[in-house]
């Protein structure tokens, strides 16, 4: 029975992942000669940068046929800076092949990949490569896999398990019942156990020496099963790129039905071409069945993770960039630079290009220094732009600790809109969520939908250091439109101002001194109240330092968040005291240390800002014998928030692109009302009781 499997191949950099892909292609007859990464002629390293650097940067598919099995194999990047590209692929896989270096064992990024595979529930085969390297110990490596990954890691030599069936049956209740009844566990049960991630077949070999390849292919064919597709069309996008002619390619996996050329896939957009790729080459086809991986042209708004047809969208990615860099145009046209970066942003949503109007700068969010080098090279090769980047800084975010109602009013002459928005703290890692509790008797459905769109369409900034807000729920409480004068853009202005006004209100709802904000008599003196916030003399320009100093002393209900790493530190036991002292000094925490032979293992969490260069320190004080592995572990309250706020020197009153003030109308003319006086002028009553 013929079957088609979509499999991804993943590994820590230099574990031999692309070499294994080459060996599988060669052994199955898809290529006539073996390419090598270090020779720059690997079949799946199709990009010139990949060949030059000897690393995989982009996820590329290849078709492998072995007996009755057809595998669409997607080779993914191994370097941690491109792990976001790897994560996007996981949502479209039937199985994963995790490659572990026999010379190095499980490394830091290998553990990150294992956690991602668990999170996406991808059944996994393990290939331990480089077993011909000096010191590679099969038994020790298998024990490490069981200790660090799962007891379900079982040696499958020559395509069959070497561990006793009784031991395998202990992993699964149904398998145990089958074993007790018949004295064996049938292949169908083993397939089910692998699919349920209770059993992980482990193969050993050397891809470069073509050892263990036949056994792996035989085992993969024997113990995989094809997923039953849906009858109706469905597909999931996992990647966006551009070909050499500038055509935008949407890469997707068909999960149900079939895809056809000229088929409407997204709104009113059609798939002009359906391309079936294997390496750099493709064929144009009229249709493809469920289970196929292809690239289509013609879609302009598709995005990685998007579901098409009956397929739902994928969850938000776990991996996030933690650094932001400032573009240095170096004489190039900033508009051309921004346009080019927007195209790269389209391909990689986590790149996240931001134009900072206040600073007149382009900021780019990245995973690390190697990705930064690749972006520079792409800008030069594809767009003929020679640009630089400033030093990387930590990508902070802001949130709130208490619910607050924000009010926005926009009423210049012949325009009208008022919106009241509830800002509530969300669960850590929840991002921004949006809702409405407004009755359609108060505000028509079309206006409410428009306001929800305005919630999501812009990156709303916090008021402490001017970075994006997160982990909050925004709910439309109430609003008002005018029968004749309200236009769509009016609610955009009212919504933006309501969110910003709510954040400013959260800032002063704590013990924040009104004197620090408005001056001595602000509560009574309207003239002083209209002065710029945190400014003692309105005639002098503000550098934001007065406001920042006050906010640093008391941020009210506003909070600065910073990215944290979850780390694993393997060091010689006699260095343990030094390591523990370092982690405490860096404001990190750790679990009780574990002993592993002559080494100690220290695991815990630590702010990225403190640990980003620590790997070099570990290498120095352990003389190369220690190893630090880090993975992004989400955002947490900033450990040195007061220092960060003061250093930022951000004055929200000077950020005219993100004003909290409202516009009202009197005597035929619009006038601005400062944010803290908006409740005295608003047309609707408050809809939220802050004391509830």
């Amino acid at each position: 029975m013929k079957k088609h499997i979509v499999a991804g191949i993943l590994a820590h950099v230099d574990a031999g992942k692309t070499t294994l892909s080459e060996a599988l292609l060669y052994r199955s007859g898809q290529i006539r000669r073996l390419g090598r990464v270090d020779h720059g002629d690997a079949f799946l390293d199709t990009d010139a940068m990949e060949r030059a650097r000897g690393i995989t940067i982009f996820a590329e598919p290849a078709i492998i046929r072995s007996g009755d099995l057809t595998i669409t194999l997607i080779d993914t990047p191994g370097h941690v800076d491109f792990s976001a590209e790897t994560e996007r692929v996981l949502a479209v896989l039937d199985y994963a092949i995790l490659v572990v270096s026999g010379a190095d064992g499980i490394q830091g990024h290998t553990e990150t990949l294992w956690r991602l595979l668990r999170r996406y529930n991808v059944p996994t085969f393990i290939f331990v490569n480089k077993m011909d390297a000096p010191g590679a110990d099969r038994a020790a490596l298998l024990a490490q896999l069981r200790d660090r990954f799962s007891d379900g890691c079982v040696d499958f030599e020559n395509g069959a398990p070497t561990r006793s069936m009784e031991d395998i049956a202990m992993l699964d209740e149904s398998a145990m019942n089958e074993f007790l009844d018949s004295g064996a566990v049938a292949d169908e049960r083993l397939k089910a156990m692998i699919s349920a991630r209770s059993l992980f077949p482990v193969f050993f070999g050397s891809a470069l020496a073509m050892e263990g390849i036949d056994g792996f292919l035989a085992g993969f064919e024997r113990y995989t099963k094809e997923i039953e597709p849906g009858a109706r069309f469905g597909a999931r996008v996992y990647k966006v790129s551009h070909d050499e002619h500038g055509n935008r390619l949407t890469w997707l996996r068909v999960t149900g039905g079939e895809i056809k050329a000229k088929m409407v896939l997204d709104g009113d957009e059609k798939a002009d071409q359906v391309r079936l790729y294997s390496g750099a080459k493709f064929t144009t086809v009229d249709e493809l069945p469920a289970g196929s991986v292809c690239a289509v042209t013609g879609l302009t708004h598709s995005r990685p993770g998007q579901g098409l047809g009956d397929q739902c969208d994928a969850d938000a990615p776990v991996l996030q960039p933690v650094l932001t860099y400032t573009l240095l145009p170096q004489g190039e046209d900033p508009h051309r630079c921004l346009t080019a970066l927007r195209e790269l942003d389209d391909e990689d949503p986590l790149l996240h290009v931001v134009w900072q109007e206040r600073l007149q700068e382009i900021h780019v969010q990245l995973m690390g220094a190697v990705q930064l080098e690749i972006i520079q090279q792409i800008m030069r090769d594809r767009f003929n732009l020679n640009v630089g980047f400033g030093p990387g800084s930590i990508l902070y975010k802001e949130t709130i600790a208490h619910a607050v109602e924000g009010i926005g009013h926009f009423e210049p002459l012949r325009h009208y809109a008022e919106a009241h928005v509830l800002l509530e703290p969300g669960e850590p890692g929840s991002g921004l969520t949006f809702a409405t509790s407004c009755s359609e008797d108060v505000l028509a459905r079309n206006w409410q939908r428009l306001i929800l769109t305005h919630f999501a369409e812009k990156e709303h900034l916090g008021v402490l250091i001017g970075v994006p807000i997160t982990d909050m729920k925004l709910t439309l409480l109430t609003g008002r439109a005018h029968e004749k004068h309200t236009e769509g853009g009016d609610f955009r202005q009212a919504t933006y101002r309501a969110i910003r006004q709510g954040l400013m209100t959260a800032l002063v709802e704590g013990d924040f001194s009104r004197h620090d904000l408005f001056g001595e008599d602000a509560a009574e003196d309207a003239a002083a109240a209209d002065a710029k916030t945190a400014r003692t003399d309105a005639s002098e320009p503000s550098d934001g330092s007065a406001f920042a100093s006050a906010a640093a002393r008391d941020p009210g209900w506003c909070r600065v968040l910073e990215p944290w790493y979850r780390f694993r530190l393997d060091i010689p036991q006699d260095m343990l005291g030094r390591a523990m002292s370092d982690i405490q000094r860096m404001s990190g925490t750790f679990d009780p240390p574990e002993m592993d032979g002559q080494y100690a293992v220290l695991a815990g969490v630590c702010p990225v800002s403190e640990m980003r260069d620590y790997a070099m320190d570990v290498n120095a004080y352990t003389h190369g014998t220690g190893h630090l592995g880090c993975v992004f572990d989400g955002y947490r309250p900033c450990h040195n928030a007061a220092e960060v706020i003061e250093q930022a020197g951000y004055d929200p009153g000077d950020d005219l692109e993100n004003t909290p003030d409202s516009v009202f109308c009197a005597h035929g003319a619009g006038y601005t009302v400062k944010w803290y006086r908006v409740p005295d002028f608003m047309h609707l009553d408050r809809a939220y009781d802050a004391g509830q």
Side-chain angles (χ1 to χ4, degrees), residues 357-419:
E357 180 69 30
R358 182 173 58 92
L359 302 174
Q360 295 289 292
E361 293 177 346
I362 299 172
H363 290 192
V364 182
Q365 298 173 12
L366 296 170
M367 301 293 285
V370 175
Q371 187 185 12
L372 184 67
E373 294 175 11
I374 296 300
I375 295 298
Q376 281 184 278
Q377 190 167 341
I378 292 175
M379 292 285 283
R380 182 170 57 251
D381 296 346
R382 192 195 297 186
F383 304 105
N384 196 29
L385 293 168
N386 290 296
V387 299
F389 289 90
S393 58
I394 298 299
L395 187 57
Y396 294 98
K397 295 186 179 183
E398 293 187 40
T399 191
I400 57 174
H402 195 284
V404 65
E405 180 177 349
I407 306 155
H409 189 97
F410 187 69
E411 191 187 358
L413 187 61
R414 297 187 181 88
H415 294 268
Y416 185 94
E418 181 164 306

Side-chain angles (χ1 to χ4, degrees), residues 114-400:
W114 183 260
R115 283 193 287 267
L116 286 173
L117 290 166
R118 182 173 56 208
R119 194 245 187 181
Y120 285 90
N121 198 32
V122 183
T124 303
F125 286 69
I126 299 172
F127 187 87
V128 183
N129 193 27
K130 301 185 179 181
M131 287 304 294
D132 53 350
D137 186 325
R138 186 179 186 125
L141 287 163
L142 189 60
Q144 186 185 49
L145 290 170
R146 291 175 182 165
D147 178 53
R148 301 269 285 272
F149 287 171
S150 169
D151 284 338
C153 294
V154 174
D155 188 349
F156 273 55
E157 187 171 10
N158 297 319
T162 59
R163 195 171 176 179
S164 73
M165 281 297 179
E166 183 176 1
D167 289 341
I168 292 176
M170 294 288 290
L171 301 170
D172 180 86
E173 185 176 346
S174 298
M176 177 58 75
N177 292 334
E178 186 174 310
F179 177 77
L180 292 175
D181 289 342
S182 64
V185 180
D187 281 5
E188 287 304 313
R189 177 60 57 192
L190 294 177
K191 290 180 186 179
M193 292 174 66
I194 294 168
S195 182
R197 286 184 51 84
S198 59
L199 178 63
F200 304 94
V202 181
F203 298 83
F204 294 84
S206 170
L208 192 61
M210 294 299 295
E211 295 174 1
I213 305 302
D214 292 332
F216 176 79
L217 272 173
F220 198 82
E221 180 176 356
R222 180 176 175 181
Y223 294 109
T224 53
K225 60 179 182 178
E226 192 170 26
I227 295 176
E228 190 70 27
R232 300 178 59 182
F233 170 74
R236 174 167 286 156
V237 179
Y238 72 90
K239 174 182 171 182
V240 171
S241 68
H242 292 78
D243 67 14
E244 65 274 15
H245 301 296
N247 296 309
R248 189 177 189 271
L249 301 179
T250 299
W251 298 77
L252 51 85
R253 193 274 176 77
V254 184
T255 57
E258 59 184 8
I259 188 171
K260 298 180 179 180
K262 307 303 180 183
M263 183 177 181
V264 176
L265 295 182
D266 185 15
D268 58 353
E269 294 189 326
K270 294 187 298 186
D272 292 336
Q273 286 185 341
V274 178
R275 300 181 180 182
L276 187 62
Y277 274 85
S278 187
K281 298 180 180 180
F282 71 88
T283 55
T284 303
V285 297
D286 293 329
E287 61 183 46
L288 285 173
S292 303
V293 172
C294 62
V296 302
T297 63
L299 304 187
T300 59
H301 302 298
S302 54
R303 65 189 188 282
Q306 179 184 6
L308 301 174
D310 275 7
Q311 182 64 56
C312 62
D313 290 350
D315 293 335
V318 173
L319 302 176
Q320 299 285 339
V322 296
L323 300 174
T324 181
Y325 295 83
T326 302
L327 178 84
L328 305 177
Q330 299 183 163
E332 302 286 2
D333 180 1
H335 179 72
R336 283 189 62 211
C337 295
L338 185 59
T339 301
L341 285 169
R342 292 286 188 206
E343 183 173 314
L344 300 182
D345 189 351
D346 180 42
E347 297 177 0
D348 183 356
L350 291 187
L351 185 63
H352 201 55
V353 179
V354 178
W355 167 251
Q356 293 279 12
E357 180 69 30
R358 182 173 58 92
L359 302 174
Q360 295 289 292
E361 293 177 346
I362 299 172
H363 290 192
V364 182
Q365 298 173 12
L366 296 170
M367 301 293 285
V370 175
Q371 187 185 12
L372 184 67
E373 294 175 11
I374 296 300
I375 295 298
Q376 281 184 278
Q377 190 167 341
I378 292 175
M379 292 285 283
R380 182 170 57 251
D381 296 346
R382 192 195 297 186
F383 304 105
N384 196 29
L385 293 168
N386 290 296
V387 299
F389 289 90
S393 58
I394 298 299
L395 187 57
Y396 294 98
K397 295 186 179 183
E398 293 187 40
T399 191
I400 57 174

